[in-house]
Amino acid sequence: AEAFVAALNPTGDALLYSTYFGGSSGDSGAGIAVDGTGNDYVTGSTDSRDFPTRNALQATSAGDTNAFVAKLDATGALVYSTYLGGGGRTFGDRIAVDAAGHAVVSGRSSLIAGGFPTTPGSLAGGPSGGFLAKLNPQGNALVYSTSALNARGLAVDAQGNAYLTGSTGPGFPTTPGAFQREYQASHFFRTADGARNWLAGGRNLGVSVTALAADPRTPATLYAGGQLFPGASAIYRSSDDGATWSAVATNLPGGVLTQLLIDPITSTTLYAVLSPAFRAPPSFGREIWKSTDAGSTWTNISTGFPPGPGVVSGLVLDPQTPTT
């Protein structure tokens, strides 16, 4: 597949211009903006090593997939085009342009801390799987680039201020006097009388719960977890039947956390099942992870699995020999 850019006349019955835009591998356009003189600003993602660049901030690809940012004039001629990415996979999703011709682009990256170009002193957006970057009008330098939570909407005003909206988690920076300063996380429900009555628990959990486990030796101790953002899962522990929680791991890599198990003999040994997350950034495969320190650190113990896109749908521990 290849990206395209097209401009139609005001009545929509004729093309002003239309062009392919890409290289020899997969290319996809995702966002477009237009300035006051008819220049088009486009972002998306590319797997091509020969993607057309001009006056580029980043002339060569880095990682498997890169975002791209390009400007075309009112006739469809290329003004500038650049890769934007580091290690891993990066996707450009939204783009806006201010009155001075600065392109502001947001997207997702699997390795913000591992090579994506960021600028010193930029605001960090808390737990992150995304980025926000502003390019100069020539497209060959960054005004700023920072980690940011995944944006669903992006706009800029006449002064060049950027506005984002989307989904977030705990750790998101809020300002004094904000409408809502505290993260209102999802919760689960628990019963102590055979499901006749239910109480809400986990009100301060930082994720939507996708896996839950109770310590068989100390039933008041619970573990809960879910995906914190694409590419990382978080696990929380409660020692009071789920009334209060504390984070024990917030950077467990992988897809969707589908199962948590506690060793019935050694309760500080935990197992986590991570199934593929069918979304970008790409899934980290079906994996089983193990912790021997109550969830603080984890090791992937599924490295001997045969390759393939399969899903681990269930895991059990032998109650007499849990290591089996």
Side-chain angles (χ1 to χ4, degrees):
E2 192 159 330
F4 73 88
V5 185
L8 284 73
N9 69 352
T11 57
D13 57 5
L15 285 169
L16 301 178
Y17 74 80
S18 180
T19 180
Y20 289 104
F21 193 57
S24 57
S25 295
D27 310 291
S28 177
I32 191 167
V34 182
D35 67 18
T37 58
N39 298 301
D40 297 325
Y41 300 77
V42 185
T43 191
S45 59
T46 177
D47 296 332
S48 299
R49 297 296 184 266
D50 56 353
F51 189 83
T53 60
R54 176 173 296 177
N55 304 320
L57 162 70
Q58 182 180 326
T60 58
S61 175
D64 299 323
T65 299
N66 276 208
F68 70 82
V69 184
K71 176 181 178 180
L72 290 81
D73 69 17
T75 68
L78 190 60
V79 178
Y80 69 73
S81 176
T82 182
Y83 290 101
L84 185 61
R89 304 186 73 185
T90 305
F91 303 82
D93 291 331
R94 303 286 186 270
I95 193 166
V97 59
D98 68 16
H102 298 90
V104 181
V105 60
S106 65
R108 296 156 289 146
S109 180
S110 61
L111 286 174
I112 286 292
F116 186 86
T118 57
T119 51
S122 292
L123 174 70
S128 175
F131 69 88
L132 177 69
K134 182 175 184 178
L135 281 68
N136 69 351
Q138 294 75 38
N140 56 11
L142 289 168
V143 178
Y144 63 75
S145 178
T146 182
S147 63
L149 291 162
N150 296 339
R152 297 293 182 267
L154 171 67
V156 296
D157 64 18
Q159 287 72 45
N161 299 304
Y163 299 79
L164 298 105
T165 187
S167 59
T168 185
F172 184 77
T174 58
T175 54
F179 173 73
Q180 182 178 322
R181 297 200 65 188
E182 298 297 327
Y183 177 69
Q184 301 297 317
S186 62
H187 50 256
F188 64 91
F189 292 85
R190 56 193 174 93
T191 179
D193 57 6
R196 288 186 294 273
N197 295 285
W198 292 83
L199 297 173
R203 293 182 184 275
N204 61 337
L205 280 170
V207 293
S208 296
V209 177
T210 57
L212 183 67
D215 188 335
R217 300 172 67 86
T218 311
T221 298
L222 304 175
Y223 290 85
Q227 194 176 54
L228 185 61
F229 55 83
S233 296
I235 296 175
Y236 296 78
R237 180 174 59 233
S238 171
S239 57
D240 53 10
D241 282 320
T244 60
W245 295 82
S246 59
V248 294
T250 56
N251 60 350
L252 184 64
V256 177
L257 182 67
T258 60
Q259 193 175 0
L260 282 170
L261 296 95
I262 302 174
D263 188 302
I265 297 176
T266 307
S267 59
T268 55
T269 297
L270 310 177
Y271 297 87
V273 178
L274 293 152
S275 292
F278 298 105
R279 58 186 298 182
S283 73
F284 287 74
R286 77 273 199 279
E287 297 175 350
I288 299 173
W289 289 66
K290 179 179 180 180
S291 172
T292 57
D293 55 7
S296 296
T297 60
W298 293 81
T299 302
N300 186 352
I301 61 171
S302 57
T303 53
F305 278 11
V311 175
V312 175
S313 56
L315 179 69
V316 294
L317 302 176
D318 186 313
Q320 304 300 321
T321 312
T323 55
T324 300

